């Protein structure tokens, strides 16, 4: 398995705050990077993907990628209780395979 | 578009029996599908890559004789857990990658199958 590392958490933030999730990966050949949200007993849901260095924004979510540091992050602005879930970082290899991190559990406190 | 289904959604079986899980791409063709396993409070672990018309590629540590994969058509891949034991109890998820256009970078997941081996 390609190594994808995340802080397992749990991470707790108050409603309206910014939640910051981090991920590092070991395979420099990784092409694309994804953030998924997973609720207990359900399949992952795609939040967004990024493949170029820098920031990519989609609504309240911003993904940041630094390939030199092999680091990708996800910022959630104006966090809502419905954002409480496990967030999975995934990397896509040249073989089109996806490898997932261990996930970070996020709780947004009303 | 790009819907993946799995059947069954849950199954309970006795130790020593075999269980087959189906993964179907409903509105697109998938030459490749992926099988994952997820234990409670752990992440998705890639088990194998299923290739239509050829042998599956297994990740290191995954027993190919225990987890039989058949990708018989462009819309169907099956995972058979042979001689299942309690330690095989897990959440099994399949996925298929988008192949073209804006879907190229996406991975479409099935809803998962909860296997419990007694």
């Amino acid at each position: 398995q390609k190594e994808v590392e995340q802080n397992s958490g749990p991470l707790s933030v108050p409603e309206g705050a910014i939640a910051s999730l981090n991920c590092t990966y070991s395979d420099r050949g990784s092409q694309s990077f994804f953030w998924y949200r997973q609720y207990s007993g359900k399949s992952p849901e795609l939040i967004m993907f990024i493949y170029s260095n820098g920031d990519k924004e989609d609504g309240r979510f911003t993904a940041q990628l630094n390939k030199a540091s092999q680091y990708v992050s996800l910022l959630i602005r104006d966090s809502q209780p419905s954002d409480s879930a496990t967030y999975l970082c995934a990397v896509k290899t040249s073989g089109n395979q996806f490898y997932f991190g261990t996930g970070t559990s996020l709780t947004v406190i009303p | 578009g790009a819907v993946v289904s799995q059947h069954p959604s849950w199954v309970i079986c006795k130790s020593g029996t075999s269980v087959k899980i189906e993964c179907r791409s409903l509105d697109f063709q998938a030459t490749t599908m992926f099988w994952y396993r997820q234990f409670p409070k752990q992440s998705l672990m890639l088990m194998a890559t299923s290739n239509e018309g050829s042998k599956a590629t297994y990740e290191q540590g995954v027993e190919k004789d225990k987890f039989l994969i058949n990708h018989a058509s462009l819309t169907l891949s099956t995972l058979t857990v042979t001689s299942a034991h309690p330690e095989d109890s897990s959440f099994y998820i399949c996925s298929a990658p988008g192949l073209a256009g804006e879907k190229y970078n996406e991975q479409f997941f099935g809803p998962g199958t909860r296997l419990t081996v007694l």
Side-chain angles (χ1 to χ4, degrees), chain B residues 20-23 35 50 68-72 76-80:
Chain B
K20 179 185 286 188
I21 302 170
E22 293 185 349
C23 178
W35 287 96
S50 172
L68 300 179
I69 292 174
N70 184 14
H71 196 144
L76 174 64
S77 175
T78 61
L79 168 68
T80 301

Side-chain angles (χ1 to χ4, degrees), chain A residues 41-103:
Chain A
K42 302 294 185 183
S43 285
E45 303 169 350
L46 179 66
I47 298 173
M48 61 191 305
F49 63 84
I50 185 169
Y51 49 84
S52 297
N53 278 325
D55 296 358
K56 179 181 179 181
E57 185 175 318
D58 184 0
R60 296 187 295 113
F61 300 94
T62 298
Q64 299 173 317
L65 174 62
N66 185 325
K67 289 186 178 180
S69 301
Q70 297 175 242
Y71 173 88
V72 59
S73 67
L74 179 70
L75 300 177
I76 307 174
R77 291 182 299 280
D78 188 24
S79 296
Q80 301 298 308
S82 58
D83 293 328
S84 299
T86 297
Y87 288 80
L88 301 171
C89 171
V91 301
K92 178 181 175 182
T93 68
S94 57
N96 218 25
Q97 294 167 316
F98 279 55
Y99 292 97
F100 285 82
T102 51

Side-chain angles (χ1 to χ4, degrees), chain B residues 63-97:
Chain B
E63 300 175 61
K64 60 182 179 181
D65 294 331
K66 180 170 183 62
F67 299 100
L68 300 179
I69 292 174
N70 184 14
H71 196 144
S73 76
L74 289 172
T75 58
L76 174 64
S77 175
T78 61
L79 168 68
T80 301
V81 183
T82 63
S83 186
H85 291 282
E87 57 266 29
D88 298 322
S89 299
S90 187
F91 191 46
Y92 291 85
I93 306 173
C94 71
S95 71

Side-chain angles (χ1 to χ4, degrees), chain A residues 1-2 6 31-32 34 36 38 41-44 46 49 51 88 92 95-103, chain B residues 34 36 38 42-47 49 57 59 91 93 97-99 102 104-107 109-112 114:
Chain A
Q1 295 276 347
K2 309 293 184 182
Q6 293 180 252
Q31 299 178 332
S32 305
F34 301 79
Y36 288 85
Q38 187 179 28
K42 302 294 185 183
S43 285
L46 179 66
F49 63 84
Y51 49 84
L88 301 171
K92 178 181 175 182
N96 218 25
Q97 294 167 316
F98 279 55
Y99 292 97
F100 285 82
T102 51
Chain B
F34 301 106
Y36 297 86
Q38 185 176 34
Q42 295 187 23
S43 190
L44 279 72
M45 295 296 292
L46 179 64
M47 299 175 65
T49 302
T57 304
E59 294 296 301
F91 191 46
I93 306 173
L99 294 179
E102 65 178 11
Y104 176 70
N105 264 322
E106 290 198 45
Q107 185 86 222
F109 286 91
R114 175 75 59 191

